[in-house]
Amino acid sequence: MPEDPVVSMQSVNKWFGELQVLKDINLTVASGERVVICGPSGSGKSTLIRCLCELEKHQQGQILVDGKTLSSGPQRHPGQRGEVGMVFQQFNLFPHMTVLRNLTLAPMRVRKLPKGEAEALAMQYLERVRIPDQAHKLPAQLSGGQQQRVAIARSLCMQPRLMLFDEPTSALDPEMISEVLDTMIGLAEDGMTMICVTHEMGFAKRVADQMIFMDGGEIVEQAAPEKFFAKPDQARTRQFLSQILSH
Amino acid sequence: MKYKRTIGALLLFSLLLLAGCESSQQWGWYVVNPMVHRGRINLMFLLSGIPWTILLTICCVLISNALGFLISLLGLAEQRLPRMLYRAYVEVFRSIPPLVSIFWVYYGLPILIDVGLEPFAAGMIALSLYGSAFMAEIFRGGVQSIDRGQFEAAHTLGLGYLDTMRFVIFPQALRRALPAIGNQLVITLKMTSLVSVIGVSEVLRRGNELAVTEYRPLEIYSIVALQYLVLVLIVSAGVRKLEKRMGSDERQGGRSIAE
């Protein structure tokens, strides 16, 4: 029997004022599946994943994350409690806390783990992103790549069912991109369900089960990576790929 | 040389005083000369205002900080109504000159509530309300200067509003607001001199009282000014030390790297 999908979006629409930023989005992500979304800036790809972690609200359609319906109404709801991990372009680490405290804060406050347990958990994930020796430093003392790996570890500490990545390498110097991508590849190999907004096509070819190209708020093309890169159906996809793969 | 500037300022001031001693036409330091009996009595009388000034400052700072903090929460709310209440509060209490609100609380309020207020209490209430409007703006500005990404990261980690504010936002906001808070502290200290008009025996009031019995306003108000100078310099040094400890000067908003 097939498992319920982790993410299910049906006919989702969203507007920012007059501008429609999501147009009739339908997307299903199965457990363990890796989806890579690409597209020009302003195409709605960030908005899409921000809807999944409730940083944005959709106005029409239905979104199910991990079996729970996300509200489209005006009422505030308690929100997800860390079941959906989000990695931001700008890392968004808490600059006044040590790396370790960044990682233990949510497990202790949200999951009510005792300090010792939370720290053991945090160290486990810092090992996994290979920077356990930085645990007692402040984020500002780390390189960009290290900060992003801490941010990934911080999300993992909440043991999410789904990890979202919003252009995780776009703010990084070139030499630091691969260390973050390697961490993400490791995560994919461990079977994490992931949706990544990224223009790193090498990474996409390696881990993606599903490729999505968005433009103007809609999903223009959705295909397996073999087909997506070899012969996409849409002219817009071909044009976009030729632009980002040409250099 | 941490206290170079402090020492310099004090030195300059004493030189000014000494220069006055030469030409006894204008200056008559005998009124506060600690070597003679009468001068000693007068000097002690002037200095006896300091505890009241300090006490009133502490009370006003504590109350206006606590009140300003609570009021700032209204200004940070998403809904319109609390934000309007916030605006109204700030505009009203910021617009009334502190001297007017001291008179209003001391002479006016008792008629309204039928309870007489001690001068100290009246001054404390008036200056605290006045200060709280400024503190509220400082706290609101501090929180609003924090990057949206901090709220978003806290949200996706599942932290609630209170935890987000308490652990993530306020510590950073406070650090950024510290220079402004220090400024407000100094202003409050000096503003306590206003309550002399309703008879609180603080530094300026002592000076006034002595000036009318000794007819030596030049020397007496010089001593009064010197007392404020010393108090403010102490406060400033304290604030700078706190800033250094909390790392308000770090661009990242973090603790000092050298620590």
Side-chain angles (χ1 to χ4, degrees), chain A residues 14-190:
Chain A
K14 177 172 177 61
W15 290 263
F16 284 139
E18 292 286 294
L19 184 73
Q20 186 166 11
V21 284
L22 292 180
K23 290 179 193 161
D24 192 32
I25 302 291
N26 291 287
L27 176 65
T28 307
V29 181
S31 179
E33 201 174 9
R34 278 92 61 171
V35 180
V36 170
I37 305 177
C38 60
S41 64
S43 60
K45 50 197 196 308
S46 284
T47 308
L48 190 153
I49 63 169
R50 284 168 64 88
C51 280
L52 296 177
C53 58
E54 295 184 90
L55 288 176
E56 304 282 357
K57 264 184 187 166
H58 60 295
Q59 281 127 7
Q60 279 177 9
Q62 198 188 32
I63 303 181
L64 277 162
V65 174
D66 204 12
K68 275 175 278 186
T69 308
L70 304 189
S71 153
S72 58
Q75 80 274 19
R76 284 188 74 86
H77 45 96
Q80 47 95 0
R81 310 252 75 180
E83 290 92 357
V84 179
M86 175 77 163
V87 176
F88 300 88
Q89 184 177 348
Q90 300 295 341
F91 328 137
N92 293 344
L93 293 175
F94 306 135
H96 57 300
M97 299 178 186
T98 61
V99 164
L100 190 64
R101 182 75 178 135
N102 262 279
L103 268 67
T104 57
L105 179 66
M108 284 171 70
R109 299 301 303 180
V110 182
R111 295 280 150 78
K112 311 291 178 204
L113 286 190
K115 191 164 186 245
E117 247 175 80
E119 284 183 352
L121 184 76
M123 286 313 292
Q124 181 193 326
Y125 283 111
L126 282 178
E127 299 271 358
R128 184 145 162 198
V129 300
R130 298 190 314 282
I131 34 177
D133 46 327
Q134 313 284 359
H136 298 286
K137 289 192 180 166
L138 289 169
Q141 293 168 281
L142 271 54
S143 73
Q146 289 173 326
Q147 289 190 47
Q148 192 60 297
R149 285 187 282 151
V150 170
I152 293 171
R154 181 174 69 174
S155 289
L156 292 176
C157 279
M158 293 303 280
Q159 291 159 323
R161 287 279 327 267
L162 167 69
M163 282 289 282
L164 306 171
F165 294 84
D166 190 1
E167 306 203 30
T169 57
S170 301
L172 293 176
D173 290 333
E175 73 270 23
M176 292 166 186
I177 290 176
S178 65
E179 64 186 61
V180 171
L181 291 180
D182 286 344
T183 305
M184 290 166 66
I185 290 167
L187 211 55
E189 283 165 354
D190 290 345

Side-chain angles (χ1 to χ4, degrees), chain B:
Chain B
M1 287 302 282
K2 271 162 107 183
Y3 301 109
K4 213 155 117 185
R5 281 203 307 187
T6 316
I7 292 166
L10 287 175
L11 212 64
L12 196 73
F13 202 90
S14 352
L15 273 176
L16 207 77
L17 295 184
L18 283 173
C21 296
E22 302 267 323
S23 54
S24 47
Q25 290 292 321
Q26 289 99 25
W27 297 82
W29 283 113
Y30 65 88
V31 276
V32 288
N33 185 351
M35 298 309 181
V36 299
H37 181 69
R38 185 162 152 220
R40 205 155 46 231
I41 301 268
N42 285 344
L43 201 56
M44 290 316 289
F45 182 76
L46 286 176
L47 292 176
S48 69
I50 289 182
W52 289 105
T53 291
I54 291 175
L55 187 64
L56 187 56
T57 304
I58 291 173
C59 290
C60 287
V61 164
L62 289 180
I63 297 171
S64 62
N65 268 276
L67 203 56
F69 175 75
L70 292 175
I71 299 293
S72 75
L73 297 180
L74 289 178
L76 293 165
E78 280 179 35
Q79 298 82 358
R80 240 180 107 82
L81 184 68
R83 285 216 311 274
M84 279 166 62
L85 287 173
Y86 170 82
R87 210 13 74 202
Y89 182 94
V90 169
E91 294 305 345
V92 166
F93 287 106
R94 208 165 52 168
S95 309
I96 301 169
L99 189 54
V100 174
S101 75
I102 287 170
F103 281 138
W104 194 89
V105 172
Y106 187 57
Y107 295 113
L109 195 61
I111 300 170
L112 210 60
I113 58 170
D114 203 29
V115 177
L117 283 171
E118 292 290 310
F120 186 88
M124 186 178 79
I125 292 170
L127 293 181
S128 297
L129 288 175
Y130 180 75
S132 70
F134 289 89
M135 289 312 302
E137 285 284 82
I138 290 171
F139 286 132
R140 184 182 63 87
V143 169
Q144 287 179 344
S145 76
I146 304 299
D147 184 63
R148 275 213 63 76
Q150 295 288 305
F151 291 90
E152 292 184 349
H155 178 87
T156 57
L157 287 169
L159 291 168
Y161 176 78
L162 287 179
D163 277 351
T164 301
M165 285 301 184
R166 178 174 160 202
F167 294 105
V168 179
I169 305 302
F170 285 142
Q172 297 184 65
L174 198 63
R175 204 157 286 166
R176 283 192 199 177
L178 209 53
I181 294 172
N183 219 8
Q184 196 56 32
L185 203 67
V186 169
I187 292 172
T188 306
L189 170 62
K190 290 185 296 183
M191 225 163 41
T192 58
S193 63
L194 292 173
V195 302
S196 63
V197 296
I198 53 171
V200 179
S201 312
E202 46 67 66
V203 171
L204 179 58
R205 176 73 179 197
R206 287 301 195 206
N208 285 340
E209 285 168 2
L210 196 64
V212 293
T213 55
E214 289 286 357
Y215 303 110
R216 276 278 163 201
L218 179 58
E219 296 75 15
I220 289 165
Y221 288 123
S222 296
I223 297 292
V224 167
L226 187 61
Q227 291 184 72
Y228 282 110
L229 178 67
V230 170
L231 288 175
V232 167
L233 286 174
I234 291 170
V235 169
S236 306
V239 170
R240 267 206 305 283
K241 210 167 174 176
L242 199 64
E243 271 179 41
K244 212 163 255 168
R245 240 187 62 190
M246 289 181 69
S248 291
D249 45 354
E250 295 300 329
R251 301 198 90 218
Q252 277 283 332
R255 262 170 290 179
S256 168
I257 302 293
E259 210 176 346

